[in-house]
Amino acid sequence: YCGMVAIVGRPNVGKSTLLNKLLGQKVSITSKKPQTTRHRIMGIHSDGPKQIVFIDTPGLHIEEKRAINRLMNRAAASSLADVSMVIFVVDGMTWTADDEMVLQKIKHRNDDRKIVLAINKVDNIKDKEALFPYLSELGKKFDFDDILPISANKGTNVQRILELAQTSL
Ligand code: GDP
Ligand code: MG
């Protein structure tokens, strides 16, 4: 048995880094320059009890004033159709209008798909107390199934994400 899990978030939050860490290899290009990933990248995790296809989903933040953007956005949204869990990746230091846009796109789907908030780059945060106000604000915006502080670079809590992905299938 197998299933799919989507990784979503605005550019530069660490989606590709997380995908690579989850898979234990470099399948997706990571970069300081936003929008390095222009199309979907998928990778299969087969070490657990069930196989999981992880999908790195760029483009959910794009404003829809232009037809081409609506098209790109629809492509991104359609890759969410069959997943059992969405990993919403944010940067622990900053919340932006693009994060808000991605959240709007994923939260209106009324089905039993899990939505996990992954607060990334916590290795950058010296004062861990600074995370708490951020967390409670996000908790008010949406009732996430799980909230995890992670470091995609260092691998912090990445195993926990794998466990959640396994149980979501
Ligand atoms: P994407 O656009 O969401 O796919 O983001 P990338 O995976 O390409 O990462 C964007 C930048 O953030 C790169 O410079 C990464 O090295 C960096 N980055 C990703 N994860 C982490 C993390 O856990 N900690 C830190 N400090 N930097 C990270
Ligand atoms: Mg990327």
Side-chain angles (χ1 to χ4, degrees):
Y1 188 71
C2 68
M4 294 197 283
V5 167
I7 303 170
V8 305
R10 69 168 161 90
N12 229 29
V13 289
K15 296 180 298 300
S16 302
T17 308
L18 176 61
L19 177 66
N20 291 337
K21 204 63 162 192
L22 284 163
L23 300 175
Q25 52 184 302
K26 270 209 147 184
V27 292
S28 194
I29 301 163
T30 63
S31 165
K32 286 196 174 62
K33 200 176 69 188
Q35 292 186 31
T36 306
T37 321
R38 289 184 181 277
H39 47 263
R40 274 178 285 176
I41 306 252
M42 301 196 243
I44 303 173
H45 181 267
S46 355
D47 293 343
K50 301 168 189 164
Q51 284 198 322
I52 307 170
V53 178
F54 285 101
I55 311 165
D56 183 350
T57 316
L60 275 182
H61 66 288
I62 297 168
E63 55 82 17
E64 300 200 332
K65 289 191 192 86
R66 295 174 59 203
I68 181 71
N69 290 357
R70 280 198 293 277
L71 206 67
M72 285 174 66
N73 216 276
R74 212 176 310 147
S78 75
S79 68
L80 298 184
D82 304 315
V83 303
S84 60
M85 179 172 117
V86 174
I87 306 167
F88 175 41
V89 186
V90 300
D91 182 323
M93 299 294 279
T94 35
W95 176 264
T96 72
D98 280 348
D99 292 298
E100 191 70 50
M101 213 179 290
V102 175
L103 181 58
Q104 295 307 323
K105 296 264 164 65
I106 58 175
K107 80 178 187 182
H108 286 306
R109 311 184 62 97
N110 45 350
D111 44 40
D112 55 6
R113 167 184 322 128
K114 270 193 192 176
I115 299 185
V116 176
L117 174 67
I119 302 174
N120 193 28
K121 310 195 187 183
V122 289
D123 56 295
N124 257 347
I125 302 170
K126 302 248 156 24
D127 176 16
K128 302 289 181 209
E129 293 282 315
L131 264 177
F132 289 109
Y134 186 96
L135 278 174
S136 64
E137 278 312 303
L138 275 178
K140 279 180 219 155
K141 284 181 195 285
F142 185 72
D143 184 20
F144 295 99
D145 292 286
D146 274 286
I147 299 179
L148 282 175
I150 70 163
S151 169
N153 260 354
K154 300 225 150 70
T156 314
N157 268 337
V158 170
Q159 191 57 40
R160 183 77 193 111
I161 291 193
L162 268 177
E163 287 163 18
L164 290 173
Q166 282 286 342
T167 51
S168 77
L169 299 188

PDB file of all heavy atoms in Angstrom, residues 58-72:
ATOM      1  N   PRO A  58       5.479  23.820  -5.711  1.00  0.00           N
ATOM      2  CA  PRO A  58       5.686  25.263  -5.757  1.00  0.00           C
ATOM      3  C   PRO A  58       4.478  25.965  -6.372  1.00  0.00           C
ATOM      4  O   PRO A  58       3.613  25.312  -6.954  1.00  0.00           O
ATOM      5  CB  PRO A  58       6.907  25.404  -6.676  1.00  0.00           C
ATOM      6  CG  PRO A  58       6.825  24.234  -7.577  1.00  0.00           C
ATOM      7  CD  PRO A  58       6.050  23.150  -6.877  1.00  0.00           C
ATOM      8  N   GLY A  59       4.379  27.269  -6.210  1.00  0.00           N
ATOM      9  CA  GLY A  59       3.405  28.046  -6.980  1.00  0.00           C
ATOM     10  C   GLY A  59       2.078  28.339  -6.316  1.00  0.00           C
ATOM     11  O   GLY A  59       1.254  29.053  -6.877  1.00  0.00           O
ATOM     12  N   LEU A  60       1.849  27.824  -5.083  1.00  0.00           N
ATOM     13  CA  LEU A  60       0.550  28.070  -4.447  1.00  0.00           C
ATOM     14  C   LEU A  60       0.373  29.513  -3.968  1.00  0.00           C
ATOM     15  O   LEU A  60      -0.727  29.924  -3.628  1.00  0.00           O
ATOM     16  CB  LEU A  60       0.358  27.130  -3.247  1.00  0.00           C
ATOM     17  CG  LEU A  60      -0.197  25.749  -3.544  1.00  0.00           C
ATOM     18  CD1 LEU A  60      -0.358  24.970  -2.255  1.00  0.00           C
ATOM     19  CD2 LEU A  60      -1.543  25.853  -4.242  1.00  0.00           C
ATOM     20  N   HIS A  61       1.448  30.286  -3.955  1.00  0.00           N
ATOM     21  CA  HIS A  61       1.391  31.662  -3.454  1.00  0.00           C
ATOM     22  C   HIS A  61       1.086  32.668  -4.562  1.00  0.00           C
ATOM     23  O   HIS A  61       0.903  33.837  -4.303  1.00  0.00           O
ATOM     24  CB  HIS A  61       2.735  32.027  -2.842  1.00  0.00           C
ATOM     25  CG  HIS A  61       3.819  32.073  -3.879  1.00  0.00           C
ATOM     26  ND1 HIS A  61       4.298  30.918  -4.457  1.00  0.00           N
ATOM     27  CD2 HIS A  61       4.439  33.097  -4.484  1.00  0.00           C
ATOM     28  CE1 HIS A  61       5.212  31.257  -5.364  1.00  0.00           C
ATOM     29  NE2 HIS A  61       5.314  32.564  -5.399  1.00  0.00           N
ATOM     30  N   ILE A  62       1.064  32.173  -5.815  1.00  0.00           N
ATOM     31  CA  ILE A  62       0.990  33.101  -6.947  1.00  0.00           C
ATOM     32  C   ILE A  62      -0.372  33.801  -7.019  1.00  0.00           C
ATOM     33  O   ILE A  62      -1.411  33.164  -6.927  1.00  0.00           O
ATOM     34  CB  ILE A  62       1.275  32.343  -8.266  1.00  0.00           C
ATOM     35  CG1 ILE A  62       2.707  31.794  -8.228  1.00  0.00           C
ATOM     36  CG2 ILE A  62       1.097  33.248  -9.477  1.00  0.00           C
ATOM     37  CD1 ILE A  62       2.996  30.805  -9.341  1.00  0.00           C
ATOM     38  N   GLU A  63      -0.359  35.125  -7.168  1.00  0.00           N
ATOM     39  CA  GLU A  63      -1.629  35.874  -7.268  1.00  0.00           C
ATOM     40  C   GLU A  63      -2.288  35.535  -8.615  1.00  0.00           C
ATOM     41  O   GLU A  63      -1.605  35.224  -9.580  1.00  0.00           O
ATOM     42  CB  GLU A  63      -1.394  37.373  -7.092  1.00  0.00           C
ATOM     43  CG  GLU A  63      -0.370  38.003  -8.028  1.00  0.00           C
ATOM     44  CD  GLU A  63      -0.929  38.353  -9.394  1.00  0.00           C
ATOM     45  OE1 GLU A  63      -2.160  38.414  -9.514  1.00  0.00           O
ATOM     46  OE2 GLU A  63      -0.131  38.527 -10.329  1.00  0.00           O
ATOM     47  N   GLU A  64      -3.621  35.610  -8.620  1.00  0.00           N
ATOM     48  CA  GLU A  64      -4.339  35.037  -9.753  1.00  0.00           C
ATOM     49  C   GLU A  64      -4.899  36.067 -10.725  1.00  0.00           C
ATOM     50  O   GLU A  64      -5.852  35.792 -11.437  1.00  0.00           O
ATOM     51  CB  GLU A  64      -5.448  34.126  -9.233  1.00  0.00           C
ATOM     52  CG  GLU A  64      -4.907  33.002  -8.388  1.00  0.00           C
ATOM     53  CD  GLU A  64      -5.866  31.852  -8.265  1.00  0.00           C
ATOM     54  OE1 GLU A  64      -7.080  32.088  -8.360  1.00  0.00           O
ATOM     55  OE2 GLU A  64      -5.402  30.712  -8.072  1.00  0.00           O
ATOM     56  N   LYS A  65      -4.307  37.256 -10.769  1.00  0.00           N
ATOM     57  CA  LYS A  65      -4.855  38.282 -11.657  1.00  0.00           C
ATOM     58  C   LYS A  65      -4.651  37.913 -13.122  1.00  0.00           C
ATOM     59  O   LYS A  65      -5.471  38.206 -13.961  1.00  0.00           O
ATOM     60  CB  LYS A  65      -4.232  39.650 -11.361  1.00  0.00           C
ATOM     61  CG  LYS A  65      -4.709  40.217 -10.032  1.00  0.00           C
ATOM     62  CD  LYS A  65      -4.311  41.673  -9.841  1.00  0.00           C
ATOM     63  CE  LYS A  65      -4.551  42.111  -8.412  1.00  0.00           C
ATOM     64  NZ  LYS A  65      -3.413  41.796  -7.545  1.00  0.00           N
ATOM     65  N   ARG A  66      -3.533  37.252 -13.411  1.00  0.00           N
ATOM     66  CA  ARG A  66      -3.269  36.888 -14.809  1.00  0.00           C
ATOM     67  C   ARG A  66      -3.647  35.433 -15.079  1.00  0.00           C
ATOM     68  O   ARG A  66      -3.505  34.575 -14.214  1.00  0.00           O
ATOM     69  CB  ARG A  66      -1.791  37.113 -15.129  1.00  0.00           C
ATOM     70  CG  ARG A  66      -1.388  38.566 -15.053  1.00  0.00           C
ATOM     71  CD  ARG A  66       0.112  38.714 -15.231  1.00  0.00           C
ATOM     72  NE  ARG A  66       0.557  38.163 -16.510  1.00  0.00           N
ATOM     73  CZ  ARG A  66       1.803  37.770 -16.737  1.00  0.00           C
ATOM     74  NH1 ARG A  66       2.714  37.830 -15.784  1.00  0.00           N
ATOM     75  NH2 ARG A  66       2.144  37.305 -17.915  1.00  0.00           N
ATOM     76  N   ALA A  67      -4.107  35.190 -16.293  1.00  0.00           N
ATOM     77  CA  ALA A  67      -4.589  33.854 -16.669  1.00  0.00           C
ATOM     78  C   ALA A  67      -3.500  32.790 -16.503  1.00  0.00           C
ATOM     79  O   ALA A  67      -3.765  31.696 -16.015  1.00  0.00           O
ATOM     80  CB  ALA A  67      -5.101  33.860 -18.096  1.00  0.00           C
ATOM     81  N   ILE A  68      -2.284  33.135 -16.885  1.00  0.00           N
ATOM     82  CA  ILE A  68      -1.178  32.173 -16.799  1.00  0.00           C
ATOM     83  C   ILE A  68      -0.932  31.781 -15.341  1.00  0.00           C
ATOM     84  O   ILE A  68      -0.654  30.622 -15.027  1.00  0.00           O
ATOM     85  CB  ILE A  68       0.122  32.739 -17.464  1.00  0.00           C
ATOM     86  CG1 ILE A  68       1.261  31.734 -17.393  1.00  0.00           C
ATOM     87  CG2 ILE A  68       0.567  34.070 -16.849  1.00  0.00           C
ATOM     88  CD1 ILE A  68       1.093  30.534 -18.280  1.00  0.00           C
ATOM     89  N   ASN A  69      -1.104  32.746 -14.447  1.00  0.00           N
ATOM     90  CA  ASN A  69      -0.927  32.463 -13.023  1.00  0.00           C
ATOM     91  C   ASN A  69      -2.029  31.565 -12.480  1.00  0.00           C
ATOM     92  O   ASN A  69      -1.775  30.675 -11.674  1.00  0.00           O
ATOM     93  CB  ASN A  69      -0.882  33.773 -12.224  1.00  0.00           C
ATOM     94  CG  ASN A  69       0.390  34.560 -12.499  1.00  0.00           C
ATOM     95  OD1 ASN A  69       1.251  34.086 -13.235  1.00  0.00           O
ATOM     96  ND2 ASN A  69       0.513  35.723 -11.916  1.00  0.00           N
ATOM     97  N   ARG A  70      -3.239  31.816 -12.964  1.00  0.00           N
ATOM     98  CA  ARG A  70      -4.346  30.953 -12.541  1.00  0.00           C
ATOM     99  C   ARG A  70      -4.083  29.522 -12.965  1.00  0.00           C
ATOM    100  O   ARG A  70      -4.339  28.576 -12.230  1.00  0.00           O
ATOM    101  CB  ARG A  70      -5.672  31.454 -13.156  1.00  0.00           C
ATOM    102  CG  ARG A  70      -6.272  32.628 -12.407  1.00  0.00           C
ATOM    103  CD  ARG A  70      -7.743  32.816 -12.748  1.00  0.00           C
ATOM    104  NE  ARG A  70      -7.952  33.232 -14.133  1.00  0.00           N
ATOM    105  CZ  ARG A  70      -7.855  34.496 -14.556  1.00  0.00           C
ATOM    106  NH1 ARG A  70      -7.563  35.456 -13.702  1.00  0.00           N
ATOM    107  NH2 ARG A  70      -8.064  34.799 -15.819  1.00  0.00           N
ATOM    108  N   LEU A  71      -3.524  29.394 -14.161  1.00  0.00           N
ATOM    109  CA  LEU A  71      -3.211  28.075 -14.709  1.00  0.00           C
ATOM    110  C   LEU A  71      -2.155  27.365 -13.856  1.00  0.00           C
ATOM    111  O   LEU A  71      -2.314  26.205 -13.472  1.00  0.00           O
ATOM    112  CB  LEU A  71      -2.696  28.244 -16.143  1.00  0.00           C
ATOM    113  CG  LEU A  71      -2.893  27.068 -17.079  1.00  0.00           C
ATOM    114  CD1 LEU A  71      -4.372  26.862 -17.345  1.00  0.00           C
ATOM    115  CD2 LEU A  71      -2.162  27.322 -18.407  1.00  0.00           C
ATOM    116  N   MET A  72      -1.089  28.088 -13.523  1.00  0.00           N
ATOM    117  CA  MET A  72      -0.014  27.519 -12.717  1.00  0.00           C
ATOM    118  C   MET A  72      -0.525  27.132 -11.338  1.00  0.00           C
ATOM    119  O   MET A  72      -0.152  26.121 -10.771  1.00  0.00           O
ATOM    120  CB  MET A  72       1.135  28.523 -12.555  1.00  0.00           C
ATOM    121  CG  MET A  72       1.983  28.661 -13.795  1.00  0.00           C
ATOM    122  SD  MET A  72       3.212  29.975 -13.623  1.00  0.00           S
ATOM    123  CE  MET A  72       4.246  29.273 -12.331  1.00  0.00           C
TER     124      MET A  72
END
